[in-house]
Amino acid sequence: MKLKIATLLSLAICLTSCAMKGESANSSQHNPTVLPDSIEIIEIPETPETENINKKPLSLAFTGDIMMGTTYPSGGNYIPANDGADLFSDVTEILSAVDIAAGNLEGTLLDVGGQAKKCSDPSICYAFKMPTKYVKNLVNAGYDFVGIANNHINDFGPEGLASTQKTLKENGILFAGLRASCPTAVTEIDGRKIGFAAFGHNRGTLSILDMNEVANTVKGLADECDFVVVSFHGGGEGPKFQHVPHKTETCFGENRGNVEAFAHAAIDAGADVVYGHGPHVNRAVELYKDHLIMYSLGNFCTPYRMGLGGVSGYAPVVTVNLNPDGTFESGKIHSFIQQKGKGPRKDATNSVAKNMRSLTKADFPNTRIEIADDGTITKK
């Protein structure tokens, strides 16, 4: 943004008008007004101060995997009571209070059709088919964006992909993560442009394995937007994968990426905040170059077909406040624990926040944040 000042322009116009009126009223007493030969235009160059003059802080809330119930396989009892209308009852107040609420949609929104994916080992392979009407549960909970770059978005082929995107779009929820149709998304709130990108490790998604794609995608958003939010699905799965290993992870024979290298690359390219999911357990948080990274927010609303025992049932909501320049200002880990068939319920002991604090101290001992017993995150 460049600010231009036309020096004396308004004064010159005013004096000219007054002089002409005076001359017609009493030309013998009129003293002609002398105007400058030229008008000087002063340009004030763009600086960090002028660039951010109209920017405001941004508040966000992040959650992990969402799979609200599935009609597949048929004959199973994997549908929540009241069509899932009560799944988010304990968290709606938090999700609705922020500018942006974001999560990961772990599965398809599809009523009929679609061919379930074939699995070489059915014992470790699941396909998720949520009724399309369940999208209202996301709307009512306060979600604004969901990443769909994960290993379940292709569970029911092209029909599942098309139905999921159509359903989300018709209900006003932003989504991103598929290279061919929706790599990114952009919205505007109170004059602030917010860009979203989502990455995964599966066919058709933006890839956490391709650092050039990461850099180009995020930089493109950063050039256009005031704030950039990046979602990723990566890392190993299960309680033994709670720690960030600082190297590439392999699980079920797949390359699940080096999530630390990915997150750092995303921020280096212009991301303001990065949130992860995929391991089905929580992981550490890190402050990198004054930007927050949440390496895994685990299972959040997965009432059926996923293990919820122990740490697998930990379901945090992390609220984050960003400064106008996108850097981290403050945050909080709100503790919830899932109950089978019911969704996330308040954890009065804050065990989820304490678990994430312990993981953070172990994996990123030098990171410049502190996590209090109640989950409040502050800079050191």
Side-chain angles (χ1 to χ4, degrees), residues 197-245:
F199 296 81
H201 53 79
N202 293 94
R203 172 176 53 87
T205 68
L206 293 183
S207 177
I208 64 172
L209 310 177
D210 186 341
M211 292 304 172
N212 287 329
E213 183 170 57
V214 173
N216 292 335
T217 301
V218 175
K219 184 180 184 304
L221 283 174
D223 289 343
E224 177 186 358
C225 300
D226 299 305
F227 298 94
V228 176
V229 177
V230 169
S231 163
F232 75 88
H233 205 69
E237 294 185 24
K240 68 179 181 179
F241 288 98
Q242 287 187 81
H243 290 280
V244 178

Side-chain angles (χ1 to χ4, degrees), residues 86-113:
D86 306 312
L87 289 174
F88 299 100
S89 59
D90 280 18
V91 299
T92 297
E93 183 177 359
I94 298 172
L95 298 180
S96 299
V98 295
D99 294 319
I100 294 289
N104 172 61
L105 187 64
E106 186 86 338
T108 62
L109 290 162
L110 178 66
D111 292 323
V112 295

Side-chain angles (χ1 to χ4, degrees), residues 284-306:
V285 296
E286 180 193 14
L287 193 66
Y288 174 72
K289 296 184 178 180
D290 262 353
H291 295 278
L292 192 69
I293 301 168
M294 296 154 275
Y295 280 100
S296 177
L297 298 178
N299 297 321
F300 181 63
C301 185
T302 55
Y304 298 103
R305 301 290 284 165
M306 292 192 193

